[in-house]
Structures are given as structure tokens and as C-alpha cells.
Amino acid sequence: VQLVESGGGSVQAGGSLRLSCAASGDTYTSSCMGWSRQAPGKKRERVARIATGSGNTYYADSVKGRFTISQDNAKNTVYLQMNSLKPEDTAMYYCALAARNEGCWAGLHTADFPHWGQGTQVTVSS
């Protein structure tokens, strides 16, 4: 499985960005895909996930109402639309995939994802 991310950049607070994660391999069709982020000196934290088979989505409390995760099954791609960005959203954002379609949030720790992208930097200035 290969994951290729794109879409990071620098924006001012209140702005928007959309991240993309293109996945290769057959595991996409029934998997848990998600975005995590890691700021300097902090632990990697989960942001949003989607079960690609059911379409169920999950969000961290810190991004609910501002971020939306979605999928394009024809392109094996997952997106993260980020609106109303805040300086505290500044981090390296990573796409990850686990070949499971259940327990995509509560039953799956960030460290349990076996496949990761290279990361894309998001910087939000005040």
C-alpha cells in the first residue's frame, strides 16, 4: 500500500485548505483511512477518519464542525477539508490506512495503523 498526500500549505487564521491522500492497492475498498497530525514537541494525534466501506466518519473534538473527511472511491482518494483554521492547527498532517472497516475510531489507536504517507505541512498564522 502506498499513500501519497498533497494539499498542505500556509494560510492565515480563518482560512481553508484541502488535503488529499491517494491510496494504491486493493485494501482501500474496505479499510479505515484517517488523518493524524503532529506539531513540534507534541505527540501525534488523530484528527479524522473514514471507514471507506460504510462511509462512516469520525472526528476529534478539536476539529468537529470545522474539518470534513470525505472519499472518492473511483480515485481511491480521501480528502480532508479544513475550514476556519486556527494557529493551533499548525502541524505536519499524515494520512494513514488500516485494512479494517470496523472499529475505525474507538478500537484503533494511531500507532496501530501500518501504512502511512510522507506527511504534508500545514501552517496557520495569526
Side-chain angles (χ1 to χ4, degrees):
V1 175
Q2 278 194 319
L3 302 175
V4 180
E5 301 134 330
S6 60
S10 297
V11 295
Q12 291 191 325
S16 298
L17 284 172
R18 188 176 82 154
L19 307 183
S20 300
C21 175
S24 62
D26 294 335
T27 55
Y28 173 88
T29 56
S30 182
S31 67
C32 178
M33 288 189 70
W35 293 92
S36 296
R37 66 187 181 187
Q38 188 166 19
K42 294 189 176 181
K43 290 176 55 177
R44 190 170 296 190
E45 62 174 357
R46 59 186 184 180
V47 174
R49 295 177 186 169
I50 186 166
T52 60
S54 64
N56 291 338
T57 58
Y58 311 87
Y59 299 93
D61 288 343
S62 59
V63 305
K64 276 181 184 175
R66 300 188 299 121
F67 291 11
T68 302
I69 190 169
S70 61
Q71 60 185 2
D72 184 334
N73 291 339
K75 296 182 179 180
N76 281 11
T77 299
V78 167
Y79 304 96
L80 185 68
Q81 177 67 42
M82 305 185 293
N83 298 328
S84 302
L85 282 161
K86 305 175 181 180
E88 51 263 43
D89 295 317
T90 295
M92 185 71 80
Y93 283 69
Y94 297 91
C95 176
L97 182 150
R100 57 190 284 181
N101 206 38
E102 294 183 356
C104 190
W105 187 255
L108 190 61
H109 299 291
T110 299
D112 292 334
F113 280 83
H115 306 290
W116 291 87
Q118 79 283 358
T120 185
Q121 179 67 38
V122 171
T123 302
V124 184
S125 58
S126 58

